[in-house]
Amino acid sequence: MRDDLDFDEDFSYSDFDDEEDDDLGITFEEDLYLMIREKLRDTVQEFKAQYPMLKKLENAISNFKVNAKNTDDSKFYPLAAKLLSEHIKPLTAESEEIEEIYNNLQTDIARFKNQRAHGHEGEFYLS
């Protein structure tokens, strides 16, 4: 009978899958997309009183819907992020703040292609 816990044997890092969080059943793509949506929501909530044009961005985000049935997560969430980006791009012409948020958003969207890329962290696109 074993009395001691051997960390290297019992908790091998090779058991963890970088692509999917087994505890929550969330893929990298879903997690990234949800993070993008959360950053957008938090940024709008934080700054909309100071920058009234962000109310248009808030409205555009809340009205955004994507329907891609029979698509797995690895394709659906990158597509949803791209469509969300295209959905809010016209607002960039109306406000420098929205343009900055849009540009910062593009940094996170690039992570769908390169998971190890560093996402955007900044003051006008909250992390």
Side-chain angles (χ1 to χ4, degrees):
M1 189 156 112
R2 232 168 77 179
D3 294 328
D4 296 325
L5 175 70
D6 185 349
F7 184 83
D8 291 331
E9 287 180 16
D10 293 342
F11 297 102
S12 171
Y13 287 112
S14 64
D15 293 340
F16 294 99
D17 183 1
D18 287 339
E19 295 294 319
E20 188 169 352
D21 185 340
D22 292 331
D23 293 336
L24 301 174
I26 295 177
T27 62
F28 170 81
E29 291 83 7
E30 181 179 7
D31 188 43
L32 179 56
Y33 179 73
L34 293 174
M35 180 203 65
I36 288 169
R37 293 293 300 241
E38 182 178 357
K39 282 183 173 184
L40 287 171
R41 184 196 68 225
D42 291 350
T43 301
V44 168
Q45 292 303 314
E46 178 75 24
F47 296 107
K48 73 179 176 183
Q50 188 176 356
Y51 303 100
M53 285 301 292
L54 292 184
K55 290 178 184 176
K56 282 189 173 184
L57 178 61
E58 179 180 42
N59 198 22
I61 293 168
S62 66
N63 289 329
F64 176 74
K65 305 273 187 277
V66 63
N67 187 5
K69 293 181 180 179
N70 301 324
T71 306
D72 67 5
D73 286 359
S74 67
K75 292 182 180 117
F76 174 80
Y77 290 105
L79 174 63
K82 180 182 179 227
L83 293 174
L84 174 62
S85 173
E86 290 173 0
H87 182 71
I88 64 175
K89 187 175 182 172
L91 297 175
T92 62
E94 297 184 34
S95 164
E96 289 179 16
E97 294 78 25
I98 295 175
E99 182 176 10
E100 183 178 341
I101 291 168
Y102 173 83
N103 291 335
N104 295 336
L105 166 72
Q106 298 308 308
T107 305
D108 280 337
I109 290 175
R111 292 185 65 211
F112 283 110
K113 291 182 181 173
N114 180 3
Q115 294 181 16
R116 304 227 185 271
H118 185 69
H120 183 272
E121 294 179 16
E123 113 183 25
F124 206 62
Y125 178 63
L126 300 178
S127 48

